[in-house]
Amino acid sequence: MKWITREHPKIDRIACPWLIKRFIDADAEIIYVPFDQVIAKATELDATPFDLPGVEYTHYEDQCTFDYIIKKHHLKDVALDRVAAIVRGADTDRHDFAPQAAGLEAIFSGLAYNIKNDQELLELGMTIYDGLYSWAKHLHKLKHTQGGPVDQLLLEVYHQYLKAGNAKKAPEWTKELKEMIQDQLDTNMTLSLQQVSSELEINPAYLSREFSKYFDNLSFGDYIRKLRIDKAKSLMDTTDYSLTEIAYLTGFSDQSHFTRIFKKQAGQTPTLYKKTALKSKKDTNS
């Protein structure tokens, strides 16, 4: 069988081929192509697409494609379940799923940075996942630290501290996303969830679901609109731009669209807001 997915793999798109070749089809051919070519090439080559929005083999809820393959092909293996938790945590930036997830993400981020040939990276990844599976099957109960009771107690306290800290810490992708959104506001360009997920290499369904947790309990679209309206208010407070100019500078298609969204967000029309802002400015200066 042929399996096809997006180029530049890192976590799930290395783990899934390993799972396929080791447990489903040892002779499987794994093909990497640009994102926008996957579906067309899948039809052309009679290949099964995976880890792509809208196809069968993809993310579902908080589980990644690796999980789906295990379920789809009825792979009953406790060691695989342990590996799946690690892959899921690394691929979705949820390191609370498994303590080893952060390490796996770090390793493959570094390898993907150093190795630009996807097939070469896959070959090395096969060996790494062979080792991870052996650990999950035979060695997961062994402790590297051989200290006494006091040492072990300190380690447990330390890990509880790390766990508490990680629960409060936002995933790394949120920092990158905030910078992308700020660039969008500064340059007046449009930014879609699909573009963001592709740039961050995060499944769009996962990003859409997790976004509100770290961005004022708002959806992606609502958050962008809120920032645009905040910028519009600032422009009305500090400049003499017309409403048409402000609509353009805040990324709205026309003044009518701008007025409708502004009223929904601010509870009043931009005309009324501007009059109030001007009156307040005059009162302050008088």
Side-chain angles (χ1 to χ4, degrees):
M1 292 181 63
K2 295 179 180 178
W3 298 74
I4 190 167
T5 188
R6 297 170 286 143
E7 62 184 351
H8 308 314
K10 188 167 66 174
I11 304 294
D12 213 12
R13 283 168 286 148
I14 296 292
C16 290
W18 171 83
L19 183 63
I20 291 165
K21 291 175 75 68
R22 293 292 188 257
F23 292 90
I24 299 172
D25 180 8
D27 298 321
E29 179 183 353
I30 309 300
I31 304 167
Y32 296 105
V33 298
F35 178 86
D36 58 358
Q37 296 180 23
V38 176
I39 299 302
K41 286 291 185 181
T43 302
E44 177 185 333
L45 301 173
D46 191 24
T48 301
F50 68 95
D51 201 44
L52 191 79
V55 302
E56 179 185 1
Y57 288 85
T58 189
H59 289 225
Y60 292 92
E61 297 181 350
D62 64 348
Q63 297 195 332
C64 59
T65 308
F66 192 91
D67 294 291
Y68 181 76
I69 294 175
I70 290 176
K71 181 179 179 180
K72 172 73 175 181
H73 293 271
H74 308 289
L75 302 177
K76 306 296 184 181
D77 185 328
V78 175
L80 272 184
D81 292 339
R82 293 190 185 103
V83 173
I86 298 170
V87 171
R88 186 186 320 129
D91 191 56
T92 62
D93 204 15
R94 285 289 306 275
H95 299 164
D96 54 306
F97 285 156
Q100 300 80 13
L104 186 70
E105 194 278 331
I107 288 169
F108 276 98
S109 289
L111 289 175
Y113 180 83
N114 291 334
I115 301 173
K116 303 307 179 185
N117 184 289
D118 292 347
Q119 292 297 331
E120 182 181 345
L121 180 59
L122 173 59
E123 184 177 355
L124 180 56
M126 295 290 291
T127 301
I128 291 174
Y129 277 106
D130 283 342
L132 183 59
Y133 178 74
S134 293
W135 169 84
K137 193 172 185 68
H138 306 292
L139 307 170
H140 68 280
K141 291 185 178 181
L142 296 182
K143 303 296 183 184
H144 175 68
T145 304
Q146 301 300 321
V150 175
D151 291 342
Q152 196 61 41
L153 179 60
L154 287 173
L155 279 173
E156 290 176 5
V157 171
Y158 177 63
H159 284 304
Q160 287 297 320
Y161 169 77
L162 286 181
K163 185 176 181 181
N166 285 338
K168 298 176 182 178
K169 183 181 178 182
E172 185 63 27
W173 59 261
T174 60
K175 180 180 178 181
E176 295 181 54
L177 182 50
K178 284 179 181 178
E179 292 175 354
M180 292 171 65
I181 291 173
Q182 188 58 53
D183 288 342
Q184 180 251 357
L185 290 173
D186 292 342
T187 60
N188 194 28
M189 66 179 185
T190 58
L191 193 66
S192 69
L193 182 67
Q194 188 66 46
Q195 289 173 312
V196 169
S197 62
S198 179
E199 183 71 21
L200 296 176
E201 294 189 346
I202 296 177
N203 184 277
Y206 167 79
L207 180 60
S208 177
R209 183 178 66 252
E210 295 293 307
F211 184 91
S212 63
K213 296 179 181 178
Y214 308 104
F215 292 85
D216 302 338
N217 291 318
L218 296 172
S219 68
F220 178 80
D222 286 341
Y223 184 78
I224 295 293
R225 284 187 284 272
K226 177 182 179 297
L227 293 185
R228 287 179 173 176
I229 296 304
D230 288 345
K231 182 179 178 181
K233 288 179 179 178
S234 176
L235 289 172
M236 281 188 274
D237 290 340
T238 59
T239 73
D240 294 324
Y241 289 135
S242 68
L243 293 182
T244 300
E245 290 171 322
I246 291 174
Y248 170 76
L249 290 171
T250 50
F252 289 94
S253 56
D254 53 50
Q255 187 176 335
S256 175
H257 183 212
F258 167 61
T259 299
R260 185 169 67 255
I261 299 301
F262 190 97
K263 186 175 181 180
K264 183 178 179 181
Q265 292 277 345
Q268 58 183 323
T269 64
T271 301
L272 180 57
Y273 179 92
K274 191 172 183 179
K275 286 180 180 178
T276 304
L278 286 172
K279 184 177 183 300
S280 178
K281 188 185 297 185
K282 288 179 181 178
D283 291 343
T284 301
N285 293 333
S286 61

